[in-house]
Amino acid sequence: MPIKMLTLEDLELEGKRVFLRVDINTPVHPETGKLIEQARLEEAAETIRDLSGSGVVVASHQGRVGRSDYTSLEAHSKALAAILGSPVKFVPDVFGPAALGEMGSLKAGEVMLLDNLRFTAEENMEYKPKEAEKTFLVSRMKEHIDACVLDAFSTAHRSSPTIVGFAGLVPTCAGRTVGRELRMLDRIVSVEKGPYVTVLGGAKVSDRLEAIDALIANNRADKVLLCGLVGLVFLKAAEKFRGELGIDGEQKHLLKARQLLDDDPDRFAMPIDVAIKVDGGRKEVDVKDILGQAQPMDIGAKTVERYERFIKGAGTVFMSGPPGAFEWEEFSYGTEHLLRAMASSLATTIISGGHLSSALRKYAIHDQIDHISTAGGALVQYLAGKRLPLIDALERAAEKWGGKESGTL
Ligand code: 3PG
């Protein structure tokens, strides 16, 4: 069903101060702390360029509290300025006096970037829209802005204040990334065919587990190929892996994985071998032979071969989250080979998440994939047929601010 929402062309933004919620949450190298890629920054730049007649207050979250990628956005501001070829004023504050002061004096044509929104308690929580409007974050910021552009498609599944709080208070529309994603997905969904193979990897276990039931119910997971940390959770649930997972809510995740395996064992494929780090290098071992504290970092060659066969026989393949820690050359084998299998298959192919889109660029095969989305969990939820808070906010905004002329994406 077409989604009714406003675009940049539907609002009068010239000379106005615009709050632009993007998602430039970017993978950070675990050792050097440097930004690993800039796909989301490039997307954000497209909307910023199209707002050249406005004063633009760019805002994003980065990482999660307590994780190594929970960092300031200073490096992002430099990368963004380099992409835009024009200054981006970084303000190391979110809604304190420094940030509000800078917002208040921002002129048309200027771009500023606030610091990591998750440095504030409220942005780490989820709210109903009316409650979000009353948060300190939204109620203080709204005094300094004329309009809001929501372009954080990859955060569309989080009802945080800056995603759902402004639509009822100031004219709000979709940015270029949200528009493109929704148009592409609409097209993909109309041509996709079965069997539907879903490859679930990465480290965001709760996101993936939450979505599995809905993906299955929505006929988007005839076969689920498990890898990454998600794969280890299933292996442990099946008592095939005894090592430590060290993740939040481990027990709850194991119970869920066990229930899924008990209910429908044939739907899931688990790794049969993995790569571990030995003397700084890669060593492949069968899952049953993983000893002691060894932490699997990638799927092994036998698993890759088996998964490639499923991918070749698929009508549609959706991959979310990398199969291994591909940031390290010695653990990139699984990610590279499964992506290449998708690139050379005749199936409709969809790749989800910033990590995988940067891996595709690294292997120079991004033009052989039908849709590459920088969204991870949000895209999983979209394909699972769930309502996304950001899209709801845009629909509410179209009702409130759009009048008869509002567009349909
Ligand atoms: C993502 O990378 O999926 C988005 O930036 C959302 O991040 P989150 O899962 O930490 O909310």
Side-chain angles (χ1 to χ4, degrees):
M1 243 236 319
I3 295 161
K4 188 133 176 91
M5 59 179 68
L6 305 176
T7 66
L8 299 184
E9 285 69 32
D10 295 313
L11 296 181
E12 184 42 70
L13 299 173
E14 196 76 14
K16 300 278 171 60
R17 203 167 292 139
V18 175
F19 178 83
L20 171 61
R21 177 50 158 109
V22 294
D23 182 353
I24 49 174
N25 180 17
T26 298
V28 172
H29 193 285
E31 276 155 15
T32 64
K34 288 207 174 115
L35 302 183
I36 292 176
E37 45 98 1
Q38 37 188 46
R40 289 182 177 179
L41 286 153
E42 279 158 14
E43 285 179 344
E46 199 187 330
T47 303
I48 296 172
R49 280 194 197 101
D50 286 349
L51 285 169
S52 60
S54 314
V56 188
V57 182
V58 186
S60 173
H61 70 280
Q62 166 66 43
R64 291 186 187 174
V65 179
R67 300 254 178 104
S68 61
D69 62 352
Y70 181 60
T71 61
S72 154
L73 292 186
E74 187 166 7
H76 303 59
S77 70
K78 294 192 178 119
L80 195 53
I83 295 168
L84 289 167
S86 55
V88 173
K89 184 172 176 98
F90 174 66
V91 183
D93 187 19
V94 178
F95 69 101
L100 298 182
E102 291 288 350
M103 283 166 75
S105 57
L106 191 71
K107 296 191 189 59
E110 292 179 342
V111 179
M112 63 180 273
L113 176 64
L114 298 170
D115 214 337
N116 187 349
L117 291 169
R118 287 188 180 166
F119 286 176
T120 68
E122 289 169 336
E123 188 70 5
N124 290 282
M125 294 170 59
E126 308 229 14
Y127 295 83
K128 296 211 164 60
K130 282 286 164 216
E131 291 164 9
E133 288 178 6
K134 290 185 217 138
T135 56
F136 288 99
L137 186 51
V138 169
S139 53
R140 290 200 183 158
M141 276 191 186
K142 78 159 196 288
E143 302 302 327
H144 300 271
I145 59 170
D146 303 305
C148 169
V149 175
L150 292 176
D151 209 23
F153 180 75
S154 39
T155 323
H157 57 320
R158 305 281 181 229
S159 51
S160 54
T162 59
I163 298 290
V164 300
F166 289 111
L169 301 174
V170 293
T172 295
C173 71
R176 300 300 187 215
T177 305
V178 165
R180 187 181 43 251
E181 288 272 3
L182 293 176
R183 273 194 307 276
M184 281 306 293
L185 287 168
D186 208 39
R187 239 171 265 166
I188 292 270
V189 167
S190 68
V191 299
E192 63 185 358
K193 53 190 182 307
Y196 208 115
V197 170
T198 289
V199 187
L200 291 182
K204 289 184 173 173
V205 177
S206 51
D207 281 5
R208 307 290 182 269
L209 280 176
E210 270 170 32
I212 286 180
D213 290 319
L215 283 171
I216 293 172
N218 224 20
N219 294 322
R220 290 224 164 80
D222 297 319
K223 192 82 190 177
V224 182
L225 310 182
L226 298 156
C227 42
L229 191 52
V230 190
L232 288 184
V233 170
F234 276 77
L235 284 172
K236 189 154 183 178
E239 297 181 11
K240 292 181 174 170
F241 170 65
R242 282 172 193 53
E244 294 297 317
L245 293 174
I247 51 173
D248 292 346
E250 177 169 332
Q251 205 45 38
K252 188 179 81 187
H253 297 330
L254 289 174
L255 284 173
K256 172 77 183 167
R258 204 167 294 140
Q259 176 221 321
L260 285 161
L261 289 172
D262 286 349
D263 289 352
D264 200 353
D266 291 341
R267 191 183 296 272
F268 298 95
M270 285 183 272
I272 46 182
D273 61 345
V274 294
I276 56 174
K277 196 172 195 169
V278 175
D279 297 331
R282 176 187 180 97
K283 179 168 188 241
E284 296 202 357
V285 290
D286 284 351
V287 163
K288 64 178 172 15
D289 298 327
I290 305 170
L291 295 175
Q293 298 305 309
Q295 194 59 35
M297 306 283 277
D298 191 13
I299 49 175
K302 290 183 206 160
T303 306
V304 166
E305 209 188 311
R306 182 162 181 250
Y307 285 7
E308 280 171 343
R309 283 201 298 272
F310 284 116
I311 290 172
K312 294 244 177 303
T316 303
V317 190
F318 168 59
M319 185 191 284
S320 179
F326 75 94
E327 297 90 331
W328 283 277
E329 208 47 49
E330 62 274 31
F331 298 112
S332 62
Y333 182 90
T335 305
E336 176 170 356
H337 281 76
L338 294 194
L339 287 175
R340 286 193 187 281
M342 285 179 73
S344 62
S345 89
L346 296 176
T348 301
T349 46
I350 310 168
I351 293 285
S352 147
H355 281 75
L356 286 176
S357 65
S358 78
L360 282 171
R361 283 185 192 280
K362 182 169 158 198
Y363 308 130
I365 48 174
H366 48 283
D367 53 358
Q368 295 164 52
I369 299 292
D370 293 306
H371 181 50
I372 304 166
S373 170
T374 56
L379 180 57
V380 173
Q381 305 254 357
Y382 178 91
L383 291 174
K386 298 211 169 156
R387 290 198 67 82
L388 301 181
L390 180 139
I391 296 178
D392 285 349
L394 286 169
E395 289 189 325
R396 280 197 311 279
E399 280 284 305
K400 180 161 180 145
W401 310 100
K404 291 198 200 67
E405 300 303 314
S406 65
T408 299
L409 282 176

